[in-house]
Amino acid sequence: MTNRKLMKGNEAICYGAIAGRCDAFFGYPITPQNEIPELMSTLMPDNGHVCLQAESEVSAINMVYGAASTGKRAMTSSSSPGISLKQEGISYIAAAELPCVIVNVQRGGPGLGNTQAGQADYFQTVKGGGHGDYKVITLAPWSVQECYDFMPLAFDLADEYRGPVAILMDAIIGQMLEAVELHDNFEIVDRPKPWAVTGMRERDHNVVNSLWIDVNVMEEVNLRLQARYREAEKNEVRYAEYKVEDADMVFVAYGCSARVCRTVVDLAREEGIKLGLFRPVSLYPFPSNRIAQITKSGCSFMAVEMSCGQMVEDVRLAVNGASEVLFYGRTGGVVPTPTEILDYVKQVYDIAANPTS
Amino acid sequence: MKKVFERPKSLRQAEFTYCPGCIHSIIHRMVAETMDELDITNRTIGVCPVGCAVFMYEYMNCDMIEAAHGRAPAVATGVKRVLPDKFVWAYQGDGDLASIGTAEIIHAAARGEKISVVFINNTTYGMTGGQMAPTTLVGQRGSTCPAGRDPEHTGYPIRVSEMLATLDAPSYIARVTPTSPAGLVKTKKAIKRAFENQLAGKAFSMVEVLSNCPTHWRMTPIESFKWIDENMTPVFPLGVFVDR
Ligand SMILES: Cc1ncc(C[n+]2csc(CCOP(=O)(O)OP(=O)(O)O)c2C)c(N)n1
Ligand code: SF4
């Protein structure tokens, strides 16, 4: 059955959450994600689920912690400063091995910043963000369709890897209108959650906890988390490629930047400049192996981000000196135009494409 | 022979790690007894704080969640909202509830969350070494107010029960102390009342227990009970502030 609708990325997140059988949403207003708590406040109760506006992002993430402890599918959404506030809670959720989904519609920063699109929360999201050794599986949609599609996937990954999963967007992806197919081609796996606190009945008591006084036990917990991350790194790498095969230079970009870069690829090819686009879809786990493979074609890379250069560090690690890695970024809420990127490419292209000449 | 005293079923066979004479132990037992009496152990989810009661999940024989410092009311809200038929209590100290977690407790109360909160007010941060709390009395010494709390510098103690009693939603708010046999009975009754209200589908209830910290107060347990009666109750009057 097809059900095609025109909607914003933020709205598609809500329909995706319903499709992913989200049981509870806890949020707090912040632009540019307000459409999410607003739409959820009717969609969730209409579907018999819980939606509650918390008194702060701190409370919202701790409500998620409580709801997720019961084995229910719980989520929150926010934008950059609010996500900063959630970090302690996310660390607790990761340590207590609870599944949940966190949507970040990034804005310009640091500080209060502005409500325009940014991509400067990459480090915070994919490198941990809060205290301690943990990771957050991170998906970066570049279309309204992907906002919808990634929600059921995110809940599934959260259940499978028993940890928080982030959807990393930005103001443009969240607020642009596109057609989206509200399909139901999802496989939703009902995993048993014997660890959930639901009242003991016939079993021994369950405890959701992140305190381990014995350092050796705490180390074991850490190693268990790390083993799961290694599994995710094996199984959950996602990416997309556009005209990479014969490219002399390959953009690496995600989300909104990737859309701009796709336009640049087409413009450049009209002028005979062979560019390609590599789009990491999972930012953690990062598609490092595929990037390393691509280096064998002899191409160079240019990371394009709406930040001063964060993901580019992961590109450099993946390339590991095998090719040149350039960077182009705008920040503070500025979105680069295709022509400015193309101009920059032209400045550096000859050198990058023929590093020996 | 008739058994006259036994461990409540809602307490696990574990040793409390509290200092001798600490009221935390008494209140744990009362919470457990109340769960037994109301026969709710098997459908209870308890939320414990960061503070001396952090290990409460090892003592209570019900499902338990250990919350981040101050966030127990938000965690309890998350649980109760998705499992409205279960029984949910939170247990917090005064650093946890009245300092870092003021927003969480006020808003849980204001929303009328159907949870029951036990609030242990011992005027200090027991776990971290007896530092000044928002409830520390004027002139009372602590490791971060060695000359005594100076109101010019750090203001006055917060009366949480009175503050929450200004809200429309809560169904029961009381302040008690178990320093006397009569006080013990009243404390137990208050906890039971708070729990019964939730079972009756009523909104938020909280019992504030004036408690001690003989270790950081540098007193014997008996001296500490006397100190509560003589110094705390004038600032934190006992009584029922909301009952509806
Ligand atoms: C975010 C955060 N800040 C500070 C601490 C350190 N800390 C642990 S317990 C505690 C105070 C507990 O005092 P109280 O709530 O009065 O309980 P008591 O120990 O007296 O029973 C503090 C500040 C922490 N664990 N987390
Ligand atoms: S430090 Fe104080 S509050 Fe903590 S267990 Fe000891 S006496 Fe009780």
Side-chain angles (χ1 to χ4, degrees), chain B residues 188-221:
Chain B
K188 175 72 187 298
K189 260 173 97 174
I191 293 172
K192 195 156 183 180
R193 178 63 189 245
F195 281 23
E196 281 169 346
N197 273 15
Q198 185 183 156
L199 290 172
K202 291 192 189 178
F204 184 91
S205 54
M206 186 186 82
V207 178
E208 174 175 348
V209 180
L210 298 187
S211 190
N212 62 350
C213 180
T215 300
H216 296 302
W217 290 1
R218 295 161 200 247
M219 291 177 198
T220 64

Side-chain angles (χ1 to χ4, degrees), chain A residues 88, chain B residues 24 50-53 69 93-96 100 122 124-128:
Chain A
E88 183 199 27
Chain B
H24 271 306
V50 171
C52 281
H69 193 23
D94 49 318
D96 199 75
I100 195 168
N122 64 1
T124 189
Y125 287 51
M127 176 171 237
T128 40

Side-chain angles (χ1 to χ4, degrees), chain A residues 199-243:
Chain A
M200 303 193 294
R201 289 184 301 270
E202 301 307 310
R203 57 165 166 75
D204 191 13
H205 81 163
N206 275 347
V207 175
V208 171
N209 177 33
S210 68
L211 171 68
W212 314 96
I213 285 289
D214 181 331
V215 292
N216 294 308
V217 177
M218 181 84 252
E219 189 180 46
E220 268 171 40
V221 172
N222 267 284
L223 296 178
R224 186 163 72 233
L225 295 181
Q226 293 298 320
R228 281 208 200 106
Y229 302 146
R230 295 301 88 77
E231 278 301 301
E233 285 162 14
K234 254 192 272 163
N235 306 326
E236 309 303 342
V237 173
R238 289 173 167 80
Y239 54 85
E241 295 176 7
Y242 182 63
K243 300 189 177 168

Side-chain angles (χ1 to χ4, degrees), chain A residues 50 52 55 58-59 62-63 65-66 69-70 92 197-201 203-209 211 213, chain B residues 12 42 55 57 60-66 68 71 74-75 77-79 81-83 86 104 107 111:
Chain A
V50 170
L52 187 62
E55 59 271 27
V58 174
S59 292
N62 282 285
M63 289 172 186
Y65 179 80
S69 295
T70 71
Y92 271 66
V197 291
T198 52
M200 303 193 294
R201 289 184 301 270
R203 57 165 166 75
D204 191 13
H205 81 163
N206 275 347
V207 175
V208 171
N209 177 33
L211 171 68
I213 285 289
Chain B
R12 294 173 77 81
N42 279 344
F55 289 117
Y57 59 83
M60 304 310 286
N61 195 26
C62 60
D63 276 3
M64 291 290 300
I65 304 176
E66 205 297 298
R71 317 302 173 207
V75 175
T77 296
V79 176
R81 290 281 176 150
V82 295
L83 297 178
K86 303 290 162 154
E104 282 74 8
H107 289 275
R111 287 190 305 265

Side-chain angles (χ1 to χ4, degrees), chain B residues 70-142:
Chain B
R71 317 302 173 207
V75 175
T77 296
V79 176
K80 186 72 182 185
R81 290 281 176 150
V82 295
L83 297 178
D85 298 335
K86 303 290 162 154
F87 187 84
V88 182
W89 54 253
Y91 185 105
Q92 301 184 263
D94 49 318
D96 199 75
L97 181 145
S99 190
I100 195 168
T102 40
E104 282 74 8
I105 193 68
I106 289 175
H107 289 275
R111 287 190 305 265
E113 293 299 336
K114 295 183 173 70
I115 59 172
S116 310
V117 178
V118 177
F119 167 35
I120 305 294
N121 176 0
N122 64 1
T123 72
T124 189
Y125 287 51
M127 176 171 237
T128 40
Q131 292 87 358
M132 186 183 66
T135 43
T136 298
L137 304 188
V138 169
Q140 185 186 347
R141 286 192 191 151

Side-chain angles (χ1 to χ4, degrees), chain A residues 83 104 121-129 135-136 138 166 168:
Chain A
I83 296 289
N104 181 1
D121 299 352
Y122 180 91
F123 283 150
Q124 187 188 50
T125 313
V126 310
K127 303 295 176 187
K135 294 278 195 179
V136 174
T138 304
L168 192 63

Side-chain angles (χ1 to χ4, degrees), chain B residues 2-11 29 32-33 36:
Chain B
K2 190 172 166 252
K3 229 188 218 172
V4 292
F5 191 78
E6 64 181 332
R7 180 166 47 82
K9 284 195 207 56
S10 297
L11 274 187
R29 190 185 163 88
E33 282 174 356
D36 281 7

